[in-house]
Amino acid sequence: MLEFLKACMAGLCFCPKKYILVMMTFFAIFNQYTMRICLHLAITVMTGDRNDTVSGVSIADEDHFDWDEYEQGIILSAFYWGYTVSHFVSAFVADRFSKHLLGLSVLITAIFTILTPLAIDVGGSWLLVVVRVLEGIGEGATFPVLSALVAHWIPASQRGFYGSFIFSGCQIGALVGGIGTGYFIEAHNTWRTTFYIWGALAIIWYIFWLFIGFESPETHPYISEEERSELVAQLAESRKSMHSYPIPWSSILTSCPLWGLIAGQIGHDWGTYLIITDLPKYMKSILQISVSDNGLVTYTPFFSMWLFSILGGWLCDMQIKKQCLSRTNARKFWTTIGSILPAFFMMAASYTGKDKVLVITYFALCVTFLGGFYPGVKVNTNDLSPNFAGVLMGMVNGIGAVTGIITPYLAGLLTPNQTLEEWRVVFWIAFAVLNITNVIFIMFASGDIQPWNYPRQQQQQQQS
C-alpha cells in the first residue's frame, strides 16, 4: 500500500496542488454525506411492516424493528446533536490544524458507520442513538475545516466557483449515497452492507489524505515554487499573519452581516435537512415507492442541484468580475434563488396529491434550486473574514445544524399517521422558514471583508 501511494504521489507531482486540494476536499464531503444519509433510507425498511411489499425487499425478521414515528424522529435527529456541538469546538482549531482535523473527522465518522449494525444488535435503538451522536461529533468538524482550507488555498476571485464545487460534494454524496444505499439493500436483502461499504470507502480516502493533503501552499512540501509564489501573492491581501492575536469575539458577535449569514444558513439547512432526512419516508408512505426507486427519485435530483450550484458559482464570479453585481448583491441574489424557488416547489408538490410524476418533478426542482445557496451563503464566511473563516463556519454551520435536530423530530411529531395532510403542515413550516430567513439575509448580509478580519489594524486604530 505504501509503495502504491508513493507511485500515486509521483504521478501527481505535475498536477497543480490547488486542484488536488480541491478534489480531495470535495471527496471528503462526498464520503461524509454517503455515511450521513444511508440510515435515512435504510430506516424505511428497518421499520417497515414485516409483510410489506412496497419496499421490494425481503428483510429477515431479526432485522425489523418496531420503532414508531416519534422514536424514528429521535434516531434521525441524534446525528445532529453531536454535529452541532462539534462545530463549535472545532471552530477554535480549524484554522491551525486543518489537515489532521479533517482527516480525523472523516475517520471517526467512518469507524462508527461500520459499527452501526453491531450497535443495533447489541443495544437496539438507544445504542444506535449513541453511535449517531458520535458520528455527528466526528463529522461536525468538516465544514469549519473546509472553510479554513478554502481561505488558505483559494483566492477571493475564484471562491464562488471552487468553493461551490468543494461544498457541492454534499449533493454528489447524497446522490451516490442515496441511490447506492437503495441498490445495496435490494441487491442483498439487508440494510447492513450499506454501512460497511460507505465506511470502508471513507477509510480509503483517509489513507490518501494522510499523504497528499496539506494545510496551505506554504506548508506543502511538493508544490512548485512558481505555484506557491502565485498563490501566496493572490492570498496576501486577505490573509494577514495572526501571530498571537486573539479571536475578536466581541466584534464577531456584534456583526450584523454575520447574523444575516446565520439566518441564511438556517433557511438552507432547514430545507436541505428536511429533504435529505424525511423525504424518503414521504416517498414510501405517500407514493408507495420501493426502496431502490426511493433512492433514485429522492436523491437523483441532487445531481441537478450539483450542476446548478457549479453553474451558479461560475455565474456569480462572472457577475462580480464584470461588475454586473457587487459581491454583496451577488450573494443576496443567489441566496434568494436558493430560498424562494425551493419553497414554492416544495409546497406545489404537497398539493398534487399522489400524482407520482408531478410530485417527483416538483421535488426535483425544489432540490435543484437549493443549489443557489452554495454561491450565496456557503462561501460568504470567506467573504467576511478569510483569517477567521474556520471560526465563522463553526458558528454559522453549527447554529444552522440545530435545524437537523428539529426537522426530523418535528416531522415525526406532526406525521404520526403518515398522511398527506400531516406532511403538508411540515412543508408549510419549511416554506415559512425559507422565506423569513431569506428576508433577514437580504437586510443584513455583506460580501465585504469586515474590519475585525485584521485584529492588528483594528487594535492600532483603537489606540490612535
Side-chain angles (χ1 to χ4, degrees):
M1 173 63 77
L2 184 59
E3 292 301 318
F4 173 72
L5 289 172
K6 288 181 178 178
C8 289
M9 288 180 63
L12 293 171
C13 284
F14 300 103
C15 180
K17 303 306 179 285
K18 181 178 73 174
Y19 298 152
I20 295 174
L21 185 281
V22 167
M23 292 307 302
M24 287 300 294
T25 50
F26 169 87
F27 280 111
I29 306 184
F30 170 90
N31 280 297
Q32 294 286 42
Y33 262 71
T34 59
M35 295 185 288
R36 184 191 302 199
I37 63 96
C38 60
L39 179 64
H40 303 160
L41 194 57
I43 203 169
T44 65
V45 296
M46 295 167 69
T47 60
D49 189 330
R50 283 169 171 74
N51 300 314
D52 179 27
T53 59
V54 173
S55 64
V57 295
S58 178
I59 302 294
D61 285 346
E62 60 268 23
D63 287 343
H64 280 93
F65 305 95
D66 296 322
W67 301 332
D68 61 22
E69 292 300 324
Y70 174 79
E71 195 169 5
Q72 291 178 51
I74 295 293
I75 291 169
L76 292 175
S77 69
F79 173 92
Y80 296 97
W81 304 350
Y83 186 69
T84 301
V85 173
S86 182
H87 266 80
F88 295 108
V89 175
S90 61
F92 291 97
V93 294
D95 290 289
R96 297 184 180 181
F97 305 103
S98 305
K99 172 180 178 174
H100 297 297
L101 193 55
L102 181 61
L104 285 174
S105 176
V106 176
L107 180 63
I108 291 170
T109 311
I111 290 171
F112 285 108
T113 297
I114 292 172
L115 291 176
T116 296
L118 177 63
I120 296 172
D121 290 340
V122 172
S125 62
W126 73 267
L127 193 52
L128 174 58
V129 167
V130 172
V131 166
R132 291 293 286 181
V133 170
L134 293 172
E135 282 185 54
I137 290 173
E139 193 165 327
T142 302
F143 278 94
V145 173
L146 289 177
S147 191
L149 287 169
V150 167
H152 294 167
W153 280 91
I154 309 299
S157 62
Q158 303 169 10
R159 206 165 285 149
F161 175 78
Y162 286 111
S164 294
F165 179 82
I166 291 170
F167 291 120
S168 71
C170 304
Q171 294 111 56
I172 302 302
L175 166 71
V176 176
I179 295 175
T181 295
Y183 170 78
F184 297 144
I185 292 173
E186 191 164 286
H188 303 123
N189 283 320
T190 177
W191 46 263
R192 294 174 181 272
T193 53
T194 186
F195 295 96
Y196 303 141
I197 292 169
W198 300 131
L201 287 175
I203 289 176
I204 292 172
W205 174 93
Y206 172 74
I207 294 171
F208 275 92
W209 177 251
L210 287 177
F211 289 90
I212 62 176
F214 295 93
E215 293 175 353
S216 67
E218 295 93 329
T219 61
H220 201 302
Y222 310 116
I223 192 171
S224 69
E225 194 57 43
E226 180 183 0
E227 185 184 3
R228 189 200 313 271
S229 299
E230 181 181 354
L231 285 173
V232 169
Q234 289 174 332
L235 294 163
E237 177 60 27
S238 59
R239 287 180 60 213
K240 305 292 184 180
S241 177
M242 291 294 96
H243 298 292
S244 59
Y245 280 88
I247 298 171
W249 283 115
S250 177
S251 298
I252 289 175
L253 294 175
T254 56
S255 172
C256 288
L258 175 62
W259 287 105
L261 173 57
I262 289 172
Q265 183 70 36
I266 288 172
H268 165 267
D269 285 356
W270 192 288
T272 303
Y273 291 151
L274 178 62
I275 294 293
I276 288 176
T277 306
D278 291 298
L279 192 57
K281 295 171 66 178
Y282 180 89
M283 291 296 185
K284 180 186 178 183
S285 60
I286 304 300
L287 298 188
Q288 300 291 292
I289 292 177
S290 70
V291 66
S292 59
D293 289 342
N294 199 337
L296 281 170
V297 300
T298 299
Y299 296 110
T300 297
F302 282 89
F303 180 71
S304 58
M305 181 184 181
W306 175 70
L307 291 177
F308 185 71
S309 68
I310 297 301
L311 175 62
W314 178 79
L315 288 173
C316 183
D317 283 344
M318 287 299 101
Q319 288 172 325
I320 297 169
K321 183 178 180 180
K322 300 294 185 181
Q323 298 183 341
C324 301
L325 291 173
S326 66
R327 182 172 280 107
T328 295
N329 287 334
R331 300 297 184 234
K332 292 178 179 180
F333 173 78
W334 287 100
T335 299
T336 299
I337 288 177
S339 301
I340 294 177
L341 293 180
F344 171 79
F345 287 116
M346 185 185 297
M347 287 311 307
S350 72
Y351 280 94
T352 55
K354 298 184 179 182
D355 186 322
K356 290 185 179 181
V357 174
L358 277 178
V359 170
I360 292 171
T361 299
Y362 284 143
F363 274 120
L365 289 169
C366 169
V367 172
T368 298
F369 288 113
L370 279 169
F373 277 106
Y374 287 82
V377 300
K378 277 299 184 183
V379 296
N380 193 221
T381 54
N382 296 90
D383 295 328
L384 300 180
S385 178
N387 283 323
F388 299 109
V391 173
L392 296 194
M393 182 58 84
M395 289 180 60
V396 173
N397 223 48
I399 294 174
V402 174
T403 64
I405 300 173
I406 297 171
T407 52
Y409 178 75
L410 187 63
L413 283 179
L414 295 177
T415 61
N417 303 305
Q418 292 289 296
T419 65
L420 182 58
E421 291 73 19
E422 291 173 344
W423 276 106
R424 192 172 292 147
V425 175
V426 174
F427 295 136
W428 266 117
I429 294 172
F431 180 91
V433 172
L434 281 163
N435 282 284
I436 291 171
T437 55
N438 182 58
V439 170
I440 297 172
F441 183 80
I442 290 173
M443 290 173 61
F444 298 109
S446 173
D448 300 326
I449 294 179
Q450 300 300 294
W452 41 265
N453 181 63
Y454 309 112
R456 180 193 296 272
Q457 294 179 10
Q458 193 176 47
Q459 188 181 74
Q460 289 174 348
Q461 289 171 1
Q462 290 173 351
Q463 293 173 349
S464 61

PDB file of all heavy atoms in Angstrom, residues 45 49-50 52-59 64 182-190 290-292:
ATOM      1  N   VAL A  45     -36.904   0.482   5.557  1.00  0.00           N
ATOM      2  CA  VAL A  45     -37.109  -0.967   5.530  1.00  0.00           C
ATOM      3  C   VAL A  45     -36.871  -1.587   6.896  1.00  0.00           C
ATOM      4  O   VAL A  45     -37.428  -2.639   7.212  1.00  0.00           O
ATOM      5  CB  VAL A  45     -36.200  -1.646   4.473  1.00  0.00           C
ATOM      6  CG1 VAL A  45     -36.558  -1.170   3.084  1.00  0.00           C
ATOM      7  CG2 VAL A  45     -34.730  -1.392   4.757  1.00  0.00           C
ATOM      8  N   ASP A  49     -43.435  -2.799   7.758  1.00  0.00           N
ATOM      9  CA  ASP A  49     -44.251  -3.968   8.093  1.00  0.00           C
ATOM     10  C   ASP A  49     -43.505  -5.222   7.638  1.00  0.00           C
ATOM     11  O   ASP A  49     -42.947  -5.276   6.545  1.00  0.00           O
ATOM     12  CB  ASP A  49     -45.605  -3.859   7.364  1.00  0.00           C
ATOM     13  CG  ASP A  49     -46.590  -4.911   7.836  1.00  0.00           C
ATOM     14  OD1 ASP A  49     -46.150  -6.002   8.243  1.00  0.00           O
ATOM     15  OD2 ASP A  49     -47.809  -4.645   7.788  1.00  0.00           O
ATOM     16  N   ARG A  50     -43.512  -6.252   8.468  1.00  0.00           N
ATOM     17  CA  ARG A  50     -42.811  -7.487   8.108  1.00  0.00           C
ATOM     18  C   ARG A  50     -43.415  -8.140   6.867  1.00  0.00           C
ATOM     19  O   ARG A  50     -42.767  -8.926   6.191  1.00  0.00           O
ATOM     20  CB  ARG A  50     -42.847  -8.473   9.288  1.00  0.00           C
ATOM     21  CG  ARG A  50     -41.854  -8.101  10.382  1.00  0.00           C
ATOM     22  CD  ARG A  50     -42.083  -8.906  11.651  1.00  0.00           C
ATOM     23  NE  ARG A  50     -41.024  -8.712  12.628  1.00  0.00           N
ATOM     24  CZ  ARG A  50     -40.853  -7.632  13.367  1.00  0.00           C
ATOM     25  NH1 ARG A  50     -41.702  -6.621  13.227  1.00  0.00           N
ATOM     26  NH2 ARG A  50     -39.861  -7.538  14.231  1.00  0.00           N
ATOM     27  N   ASP A  52     -44.585  -6.243   4.425  1.00  0.00           N
ATOM     28  CA  ASP A  52     -44.607  -5.109   3.496  1.00  0.00           C
ATOM     29  C   ASP A  52     -44.112  -5.528   2.110  1.00  0.00           C
ATOM     30  O   ASP A  52     -43.064  -6.150   1.978  1.00  0.00           O
ATOM     31  CB  ASP A  52     -43.712  -3.991   4.049  1.00  0.00           C
ATOM     32  CG  ASP A  52     -43.649  -2.784   3.139  1.00  0.00           C
ATOM     33  OD1 ASP A  52     -44.629  -2.576   2.408  1.00  0.00           O
ATOM     34  OD2 ASP A  52     -42.624  -2.087   3.171  1.00  0.00           O
ATOM     35  N   THR A  53     -44.881  -5.199   1.086  1.00  0.00           N
ATOM     36  CA  THR A  53     -44.489  -5.489  -0.292  1.00  0.00           C
ATOM     37  C   THR A  53     -44.046  -4.230  -1.027  1.00  0.00           C
ATOM     38  O   THR A  53     -43.576  -4.301  -2.160  1.00  0.00           O
ATOM     39  CB  THR A  53     -45.662  -6.126  -1.057  1.00  0.00           C
ATOM     40  OG1 THR A  53     -46.775  -5.222  -1.040  1.00  0.00           O
ATOM     41  CG2 THR A  53     -46.065  -7.451  -0.443  1.00  0.00           C
ATOM     42  N   VAL A  54     -44.204  -3.090  -0.374  1.00  0.00           N
ATOM     43  CA  VAL A  54     -43.867  -1.818  -1.025  1.00  0.00           C
ATOM     44  C   VAL A  54     -42.367  -1.670  -1.192  1.00  0.00           C
ATOM     45  O   VAL A  54     -41.864  -1.221  -2.221  1.00  0.00           O
ATOM     46  CB  VAL A  54     -44.426  -0.631  -0.216  1.00  0.00           C
ATOM     47  CG1 VAL A  54     -43.929   0.696  -0.793  1.00  0.00           C
ATOM     48  CG2 VAL A  54     -45.941  -0.676  -0.200  1.00  0.00           C
ATOM     49  N   SER A  55     -41.579  -2.047  -0.166  1.00  0.00           N
ATOM     50  CA  SER A  55     -40.142  -1.815  -0.197  1.00  0.00           C
ATOM     51  C   SER A  55     -39.432  -2.591  -1.296  1.00  0.00           C
ATOM     52  O   SER A  55     -38.379  -2.195  -1.770  1.00  0.00           O
ATOM     53  CB  SER A  55     -39.529  -2.171   1.163  1.00  0.00           C
ATOM     54  OG  SER A  55     -39.681  -3.551   1.422  1.00  0.00           O
ATOM     55  N   GLY A  56     -40.014  -3.734  -1.701  1.00  0.00           N
ATOM     56  CA  GLY A  56     -39.402  -4.524  -2.764  1.00  0.00           C
ATOM     57  C   GLY A  56     -38.276  -5.418  -2.297  1.00  0.00           C
ATOM     58  O   GLY A  56     -37.563  -6.000  -3.112  1.00  0.00           O
ATOM     59  N   VAL A  57     -38.096  -5.573  -0.987  1.00  0.00           N
ATOM     60  CA  VAL A  57     -37.046  -6.438  -0.452  1.00  0.00           C
ATOM     61  C   VAL A  57     -37.633  -7.367   0.598  1.00  0.00           C
ATOM     62  O   VAL A  57     -38.690  -7.100   1.162  1.00  0.00           O
ATOM     63  CB  VAL A  57     -35.891  -5.620   0.178  1.00  0.00           C
ATOM     64  CG1 VAL A  57     -35.189  -4.797  -0.879  1.00  0.00           C
ATOM     65  CG2 VAL A  57     -36.404  -4.727   1.287  1.00  0.00           C
ATOM     66  N   SER A  58     -36.916  -8.456   0.844  1.00  0.00           N
ATOM     67  CA  SER A  58     -37.343  -9.420   1.853  1.00  0.00           C
ATOM     68  C   SER A  58     -36.322  -9.418   2.984  1.00  0.00           C
ATOM     69  O   SER A  58     -35.312 -10.130   2.952  1.00  0.00           O
ATOM     70  CB  SER A  58     -37.456 -10.818   1.226  1.00  0.00           C
ATOM     71  OG  SER A  58     -37.830 -11.773   2.196  1.00  0.00           O
ATOM     72  N   ILE A  59     -36.590  -8.588   3.992  1.00  0.00           N
ATOM     73  CA  ILE A  59     -35.670  -8.436   5.114  1.00  0.00           C
ATOM     74  C   ILE A  59     -35.965  -9.491   6.172  1.00  0.00           C
ATOM     75  O   ILE A  59     -37.130  -9.777   6.480  1.00  0.00           O
ATOM     76  CB  ILE A  59     -35.799  -7.029   5.726  1.00  0.00           C
ATOM     77  CG1 ILE A  59     -35.510  -5.962   4.668  1.00  0.00           C
ATOM     78  CG2 ILE A  59     -34.869  -6.856   6.913  1.00  0.00           C
ATOM     79  CD1 ILE A  59     -34.103  -5.939   4.156  1.00  0.00           C
ATOM     80  N   HIS A  64     -35.924  -6.398  11.483  1.00  0.00           N
ATOM     81  CA  HIS A  64     -37.040  -5.462  11.578  1.00  0.00           C
ATOM     82  C   HIS A  64     -37.159  -4.949  13.014  1.00  0.00           C
ATOM     83  O   HIS A  64     -36.892  -5.682  13.965  1.00  0.00           O
ATOM     84  CB  HIS A  64     -38.368  -6.150  11.190  1.00  0.00           C
ATOM     85  CG  HIS A  64     -38.573  -6.254   9.713  1.00  0.00           C
ATOM     86  ND1 HIS A  64     -38.195  -7.347   8.989  1.00  0.00           N
ATOM     87  CD2 HIS A  64     -39.132  -5.381   8.827  1.00  0.00           C
ATOM     88  CE1 HIS A  64     -38.504  -7.175   7.717  1.00  0.00           C
ATOM     89  NE2 HIS A  64     -39.075  -5.986   7.593  1.00  0.00           N
ATOM     90  N   GLY A 182     -30.053   2.327  -1.682  1.00  0.00           N
ATOM     91  CA  GLY A 182     -31.239   1.613  -2.175  1.00  0.00           C
ATOM     92  C   GLY A 182     -30.857   0.369  -2.948  1.00  0.00           C
ATOM     93  O   GLY A 182     -31.474  -0.701  -2.790  1.00  0.00           O
ATOM     94  N   TYR A 183     -29.829   0.489  -3.781  1.00  0.00           N
ATOM     95  CA  TYR A 183     -29.384  -0.657  -4.582  1.00  0.00           C
ATOM     96  C   TYR A 183     -28.806  -1.753  -3.687  1.00  0.00           C
ATOM     97  O   TYR A 183     -29.126  -2.940  -3.860  1.00  0.00           O
ATOM     98  CB  TYR A 183     -28.334  -0.210  -5.591  1.00  0.00           C
ATOM     99  CG  TYR A 183     -27.659  -1.373  -6.290  1.00  0.00           C
ATOM    100  CD1 TYR A 183     -28.297  -2.060  -7.326  1.00  0.00           C
ATOM    101  CD2 TYR A 183     -26.385  -1.804  -5.891  1.00  0.00           C
ATOM    102  CE1 TYR A 183     -27.679  -3.141  -7.955  1.00  0.00           C
ATOM    103  CE2 TYR A 183     -25.768  -2.875  -6.507  1.00  0.00           C
ATOM    104  CZ  TYR A 183     -26.413  -3.535  -7.543  1.00  0.00           C
ATOM    105  OH  TYR A 183     -25.806  -4.610  -8.146  1.00  0.00           O
ATOM    106  N   PHE A 184     -27.945  -1.389  -2.735  1.00  0.00           N
ATOM    107  CA  PHE A 184     -27.322  -2.383  -1.865  1.00  0.00           C
ATOM    108  C   PHE A 184     -28.373  -3.138  -1.044  1.00  0.00           C
ATOM    109  O   PHE A 184     -28.282  -4.348  -0.866  1.00  0.00           O
ATOM    110  CB  PHE A 184     -26.311  -1.724  -0.921  1.00  0.00           C
ATOM    111  CG  PHE A 184     -25.153  -1.080  -1.615  1.00  0.00           C
ATOM    112  CD1 PHE A 184     -24.599   0.097  -1.124  1.00  0.00           C
ATOM    113  CD2 PHE A 184     -24.604  -1.645  -2.751  1.00  0.00           C
ATOM    114  CE1 PHE A 184     -23.529   0.708  -1.763  1.00  0.00           C
ATOM    115  CE2 PHE A 184     -23.527  -1.048  -3.401  1.00  0.00           C
ATOM    116  CZ  PHE A 184     -22.992   0.134  -2.905  1.00  0.00           C
ATOM    117  N   ILE A 185     -29.360  -2.408  -0.533  1.00  0.00           N
ATOM    118  CA  ILE A 185     -30.393  -3.053   0.285  1.00  0.00           C
ATOM    119  C   ILE A 185     -31.191  -4.047  -0.548  1.00  0.00           C
ATOM    120  O   ILE A 185     -31.450  -5.175  -0.125  1.00  0.00           O
ATOM    121  CB  ILE A 185     -31.326  -1.991   0.914  1.00  0.00           C
ATOM    122  CG1 ILE A 185     -30.562  -1.166   1.953  1.00  0.00           C
ATOM    123  CG2 ILE A 185     -32.538  -2.650   1.547  1.00  0.00           C
ATOM    124  CD1 ILE A 185     -31.348   0.000   2.504  1.00  0.00           C
ATOM    125  N   GLU A 186     -31.585  -3.619  -1.752  1.00  0.00           N
ATOM    126  CA  GLU A 186     -32.396  -4.501  -2.601  1.00  0.00           C
ATOM    127  C   GLU A 186     -31.583  -5.669  -3.135  1.00  0.00           C
ATOM    128  O   GLU A 186     -32.083  -6.798  -3.242  1.00  0.00           O
ATOM    129  CB  GLU A 186     -32.991  -3.701  -3.757  1.00  0.00           C
ATOM    130  CG  GLU A 186     -34.050  -4.475  -4.525  1.00  0.00           C
ATOM    131  CD  GLU A 186     -34.894  -3.579  -5.406  1.00  0.00           C
ATOM    132  OE1 GLU A 186     -35.753  -2.849  -4.864  1.00  0.00           O
ATOM    133  OE2 GLU A 186     -34.698  -3.600  -6.633  1.00  0.00           O
ATOM    134  N   ALA A 187     -30.312  -5.421  -3.462  1.00  0.00           N
ATOM    135  CA  ALA A 187     -29.475  -6.483  -4.031  1.00  0.00           C
ATOM    136  C   ALA A 187     -29.128  -7.554  -3.004  1.00  0.00           C
ATOM    137  O   ALA A 187     -29.054  -8.744  -3.332  1.00  0.00           O
ATOM    138  CB  ALA A 187     -28.193  -5.881  -4.600  1.00  0.00           C
ATOM    139  N   HIS A 188     -28.939  -7.154  -1.731  1.00  0.00           N
ATOM    140  CA  HIS A 188     -28.501  -8.098  -0.705  1.00  0.00           C
ATOM    141  C   HIS A 188     -29.596  -8.474   0.285  1.00  0.00           C
ATOM    142  O   HIS A 188     -29.356  -9.281   1.181  1.00  0.00           O
ATOM    143  CB  HIS A 188     -27.298  -7.507   0.054  1.00  0.00           C
ATOM    144  CG  HIS A 188     -26.140  -7.160  -0.821  1.00  0.00           C
ATOM    145  ND1 HIS A 188     -25.597  -5.883  -0.887  1.00  0.00           N
ATOM    146  CD2 HIS A 188     -25.420  -7.903  -1.697  1.00  0.00           C
ATOM    147  CE1 HIS A 188     -24.590  -5.874  -1.744  1.00  0.00           C
ATOM    148  NE2 HIS A 188     -24.465  -7.075  -2.257  1.00  0.00           N
ATOM    149  N   ASN A 189     -30.779  -7.847   0.138  1.00  0.00           N
ATOM    150  CA  ASN A 189     -31.892  -8.102   1.070  1.00  0.00           C
ATOM    151  C   ASN A 189     -31.489  -7.876   2.521  1.00  0.00           C
ATOM    152  O   ASN A 189     -31.914  -8.595   3.436  1.00  0.00           O
ATOM    153  CB  ASN A 189     -32.445  -9.527   0.903  1.00  0.00           C
ATOM    154  CG  ASN A 189     -33.323  -9.643  -0.334  1.00  0.00           C
ATOM    155  OD1 ASN A 189     -34.095  -8.732  -0.640  1.00  0.00           O
ATOM    156  ND2 ASN A 189     -33.209 -10.741  -1.055  1.00  0.00           N
ATOM    157  N   THR A 190     -30.651  -6.891   2.720  1.00  0.00           N
ATOM    158  CA  THR A 190     -30.268  -6.490   4.073  1.00  0.00           C
ATOM    159  C   THR A 190     -29.805  -5.042   4.030  1.00  0.00           C
ATOM    160  O   THR A 190     -29.278  -4.575   3.018  1.00  0.00           O
ATOM    161  CB  THR A 190     -29.126  -7.370   4.618  1.00  0.00           C
ATOM    162  OG1 THR A 190     -28.750  -6.895   5.923  1.00  0.00           O
ATOM    163  CG2 THR A 190     -27.901  -7.344   3.716  1.00  0.00           C
ATOM    164  N   SER A 290     -40.799   1.685  -3.892  1.00  0.00           N
ATOM    165  CA  SER A 290     -39.870   0.678  -3.364  1.00  0.00           C
ATOM    166  C   SER A 290     -38.567   1.328  -2.922  1.00  0.00           C
ATOM    167  O   SER A 290     -38.265   2.463  -3.285  1.00  0.00           O
ATOM    168  CB  SER A 290     -39.582  -0.378  -4.434  1.00  0.00           C
ATOM    169  OG  SER A 290     -38.800   0.167  -5.474  1.00  0.00           O
ATOM    170  N   VAL A 291     -37.756   0.594  -2.162  1.00  0.00           N
ATOM    171  CA  VAL A 291     -36.555   1.177  -1.574  1.00  0.00           C
ATOM    172  C   VAL A 291     -35.537   1.592  -2.635  1.00  0.00           C
ATOM    173  O   VAL A 291     -34.897   2.649  -2.527  1.00  0.00           O
ATOM    174  CB  VAL A 291     -35.921   0.208  -0.545  1.00  0.00           C
ATOM    175  CG1 VAL A 291     -35.405  -1.055  -1.213  1.00  0.00           C
ATOM    176  CG2 VAL A 291     -34.806   0.902   0.229  1.00  0.00           C
ATOM    177  N   SER A 292     -35.362   0.795  -3.694  1.00  0.00           N
ATOM    178  CA  SER A 292     -34.399   1.170  -4.731  1.00  0.00           C
ATOM    179  C   SER A 292     -34.893   2.365  -5.529  1.00  0.00           C
ATOM    180  O   SER A 292     -34.127   3.295  -5.829  1.00  0.00           O
ATOM    181  CB  SER A 292     -34.116  -0.010  -5.663  1.00  0.00           C
ATOM    182  OG  SER A 292     -35.308  -0.448  -6.290  1.00  0.00           O
TER     183      SER A 292
END
